[in-house]
Structure formats: C-alpha cells, structure tokens
Amino acid sequence: MAGPFQQCAYVRLRLNPAFYRFTLLESGKQAEDGGWTPVSPGVLLKREETGFKAGNYQEMTIAILPDSRGLQKNRSRGENFTVVTHFILLGIPHTEGLQNILFIIFLIFYMCTLLGNLLIMTAIFTDSRLHTPMYFFLCNLSILDIGFSSVSTPKMLANLWAQSRMISLGGCMSQVFFYHFLGSTECLLYTVMAYDRYVAICHPLRYLIIMNWKVCTILAAGTWFTSSFHATILTTLTFSLPYCGPSEVDYFFCDIFPVVKLACANTVIIETVSFTNIGLVPMTCFLLILASYVRIVYSVLRMSSGEGRRKAASTCASHLTVVTLFFGPCALIYTQPSLSEILVTPVQIFGNVVTPMLNPVIYTLRNKEVKAALTRLTGGKRVSQTITH
C-alpha cells in the first residue's frame, strides 16, 4: 500500500464558493498511506473531505500521483490553484472502426467549405457589380462560415486521423469562446440580412438611402461587437469554475455543457446563464426575422407584376433556406438539454460541418448575379454553361 505514496505530492486546498477559486493552504512531497479515494486517473481525494461532488465543501486534501497527466503539481503558498491544465476530447461517440471513413468525409466537407466561401468572397471583392449592401452582408457570412467551421473541424479531424485527443486549457477556452462568438455573430447577421431584404422589397425607392454604407458598416460591426461581449461572459463564467479532475470531455469539441459537467463545484449559475443567453439571442433574432418576412410576404402579395413576385421570392428563398439550416440545429441542441447523444451529436456535426459548406452552394445556385461574377472570375463560358444547366 505504501508504494504508490512514496513520491506522491499532496495539497490541501480551500474553495471560495463565491468565486469558485482554490487557495493553497498546505503542500507536501509525501502523503500518508490510508484514507484516500480515487476521483480521476492519478488523483486521490481524502475520504474525510465530504461534499466533493456537490461543491459545498470549504477545504479538501488532494494527492497527485507521479504519473498523473494534465494536473499542476506545485503552486506557491496563497495563490489561486487550478488542477486541470488540459482536457481529453473523447471524440464522436459510437464511431469505433469508422474513423478513417469519417476523416475523409469531413475533410472533403471542410475543404469544400473553405473553397466555396473563399470563391464567393473573391467574387464580391473583385466585381464592382456586387458592391451592394446585400453582398456586403453575404461576404461577412462567408467569413463567419469559414471561422465557425474552423473552430471544431480541424481538431476533430486530428482526433479521427491521429487520435490526437488532448487539448490544452487555453485551447478549450478558445473553442468555447470562438464557437459562441461566431455562432452569435452569424445569428445576428441573419437578422440584419432579413432587415436588408425587408427594406429592398418593401421600400425599393428608398433602399439605397436607408441602407447606405454607413448604416451597413454600423450594423455589421454591431453584430461582431455584441457577440464578442456575449461570448466573453459565457467563457468567463465557464472557466471561473474549478476543474480538478477528471479531465475527459465526453464530446468531439469543447462546448459549455460538456465542459461544466467536469467542474467540481455548483454549476447552477453557469447553466442558468447559458440557457438564458443562448436561448434568448436566437429566439429574439428568429422573431425579428419572422416579423420581417411577414411584412415581405404581405408586400409581395400586393405586387401586380408576376416578374416582380418571382424576383422577390427568389431573392428571399436563399436567405430563408440558410436561416432554417442554422436555427434548426441550434433549437434542437440548446432547447432540449436532455436530448440523447445519439441525436444531438449528428445535429451538432451538421451545424458545424455541413451547413457552412451548403451556404455558398445555396446562394450560388439561386443567384444569377453571383453565378455571373464567378463566371467572370474564372473567365470561361464553359463554367457559365455548367452552372446554368
């Protein structure tokens, strides 16, 4: 029994429940032999210390075995103490033996996402005919699709191909921040794009006056700034909690709810704030989009020209399609926290990997101006004929 403790470091910690911070009270190079309970690989908790899982304890003693991974072994007296220094992403559940196939599929999707969105951005930048508010917002959407897909897909590919499951604490924080930052920005941008379509169809004569470049810049910048504030709150609350083991995230990337399950403190506050924030932003955006399209449909029905109706419907169809693809998975994941992992994982992968790839395809297939710009960009009639047919 004495063997494992011969070179075992131990620390005695005090938790401040108000701020979820550890303070080091005492440390030593050797722990006594008896009275310890394993709480994660390489980490032992003193049995007399109660309330470890409930998060209502004030003090506790932890022993760290020499072979433990992802745990800080020493801190100077009086400093805040965080045990976990990295997480292990367990990956996509129930995919044993399918890693190579999934790697190829997701790599193709990711490359198509990059290529499609970069093509649309290049076409908009280089073609002066597309220097309008609608395509300015579409360019922002392409940037978001590239970033949103890049938050989780590269690490997922590394996990599938090389079983590279380890992610640092900083890397996990970055995934949480940028996932909610870019996701919230895209949500707000769809709302701005719906308003742009409302002005274009319901007030066509005043469109360029209302949607001038100053207004467009303020609206676009506002979506980015507001979302950064939103993501900062969620990330700060998530990683202010103490994480003292285990460090295995039962998911393929770091998101708030899989991560906070590992916290050794009360998570009611972060879960409540997350559900409120994550639910409130998409719901508000969805209602604003719905209101815009109710007004658009009313205006379209009053049009006397059949050609005008078809053009308006074609213009709005692409936006409605991508809005459905975005809000559908979001609603399932964050309004149904008890949803089975068999269902939630494919829905999340669809939103992270497939939707960013489909957006440029949807806008290209239903938009003659984008088709023409891509044709001019590639400089070939054959491409034009292929896209048209």
Side-chain angles (χ1 to χ4, degrees):
M1 239 348 247
F5 291 95
Q6 288 177 357
Q7 296 180 342
C8 179
Y10 76 91
V11 290
R12 184 165 185 81
L13 307 172
R14 175 175 292 153
L15 176 68
N16 184 338
F19 298 99
Y20 303 115
R21 295 290 189 184
F22 281 127
T23 301
L24 181 63
L25 299 179
E26 180 185 3
S27 66
K29 294 183 179 180
Q30 186 171 351
E32 64 270 22
D33 292 348
W36 298 85
T37 301
V39 293
S40 72
V43 183
L44 304 173
L45 177 70
K46 192 72 173 175
R47 288 199 186 113
E48 295 85 28
E49 309 296 339
T50 59
F52 180 73
K53 291 296 183 182
N56 58 357
Y57 54 84
Q58 293 297 321
E59 295 183 6
M60 67 181 181
T61 304
I62 292 179
I64 305 171
L65 298 182
D67 62 344
S68 63
R69 297 184 301 170
L71 302 168
Q72 294 179 359
K73 295 185 179 181
N74 297 294
R75 286 290 178 125
S76 60
R77 182 177 298 273
E79 292 184 357
N80 289 334
F81 187 92
T82 303
V83 180
V84 172
T85 60
H86 72 257
F87 293 95
I88 306 296
L89 299 175
L90 297 184
I92 306 171
H94 313 298
T95 57
E96 293 77 8
L98 301 174
Q99 287 88 345
N100 291 339
I101 297 174
L102 292 176
F103 172 81
I104 294 172
I105 293 173
F106 293 146
L107 179 62
I108 292 172
F109 283 172
Y110 185 55
M111 296 304 295
C112 289
T113 298
L114 296 180
L115 179 61
N117 285 288
L118 286 173
L119 277 174
I120 285 185
M121 290 169 57
T122 305
I124 292 172
F125 280 131
T126 57
D127 196 324
S128 60
R129 299 175 185 85
L130 300 184
H131 292 176
T132 63
M134 175 181 173
Y135 295 108
F136 170 71
F137 295 129
L138 179 57
C139 187
N140 276 264
L141 180 61
S142 293
I143 296 172
L144 286 170
D145 282 335
I146 291 174
F148 191 69
S149 181
S150 298
V151 170
S152 60
T153 305
K155 185 60 182 176
M156 181 174 64
L157 292 173
N159 192 338
L160 290 170
W161 179 255
Q163 297 297 303
S164 177
R165 298 183 175 184
M166 188 181 299
I167 184 170
S168 66
L169 179 62
C172 192
M173 292 175 66
S174 298
Q175 280 197 334
V176 171
F177 174 81
F178 283 105
Y179 182 76
H180 290 277
F181 168 51
L182 297 173
S184 177
T185 305
E186 189 161 346
C187 183
L188 294 172
L189 185 64
Y190 283 134
T191 309
V192 171
M193 294 173 76
Y195 174 71
D196 173 70
R197 291 300 85 208
Y198 158 74
V199 176
I201 294 172
C202 299
H203 305 282
L205 299 180
R206 294 191 294 155
Y207 175 64
L208 293 179
I209 298 175
I210 297 174
M211 299 300 292
N212 58 67
W213 283 113
K214 181 179 179 180
V215 171
C216 292
T217 303
I218 291 174
L219 288 173
T223 63
W224 292 87
F225 177 77
T226 304
S227 298
S228 66
F229 183 69
H230 164 80
T232 299
I233 293 175
L234 295 179
T235 306
T236 302
L237 287 174
T238 300
F239 291 97
S240 293
L241 296 169
Y243 294 92
C244 42
S247 59
E248 294 180 341
V249 179
D250 191 14
Y251 214 41
F252 63 93
F253 77 106
C254 287
D255 197 6
I256 291 175
F257 299 113
V259 170
V260 296
K261 288 180 181 178
L262 307 178
C264 46
N266 196 321
T267 61
V268 173
I269 295 176
I270 176 60
E271 289 177 352
T272 304
V273 171
S274 297
F275 273 119
T276 303
N277 265 14
I278 297 171
L280 185 62
V281 172
M283 180 60 68
T284 303
C285 292
F286 179 77
L287 291 176
L288 290 173
I289 292 170
L290 184 63
S292 297
Y293 274 98
V294 167
R295 186 67 180 85
I296 288 171
V297 170
Y298 178 73
S299 297
V300 169
L301 292 176
R302 292 180 59 189
M303 290 180 180
S304 57
S305 170
E307 180 64 26
R309 288 184 182 181
R310 284 193 296 270
K311 186 176 181 180
S314 178
T315 303
C316 296
S318 300
H319 183 252
L320 278 174
T321 304
V322 296
V323 164
T324 303
L325 290 174
F326 178 83
F327 282 97
C330 186
L332 282 174
I333 294 167
Y334 292 108
T335 62
Q336 301 292 330
S338 60
L339 195 65
S340 169
E341 68 173 20
I342 299 176
L343 296 176
V344 73
T345 303
V347 170
Q348 185 101 54
I349 290 174
F350 182 86
N352 292 10
V353 180
V354 181
T355 300
M357 179 196 69
L358 292 178
N359 284 352
V361 176
I362 293 167
Y363 274 103
T364 301
L365 290 178
R366 299 194 62 88
N367 193 305
K368 293 181 180 179
E369 293 176 330
V370 176
K371 289 181 188 178
L374 290 174
T375 302
R376 287 188 291 270
L377 182 65
T378 55
K381 294 183 179 180
R382 185 177 300 176
V383 176
S384 176
Q385 293 171 356
T386 301
I387 296 176
T388 304
H389 295 293

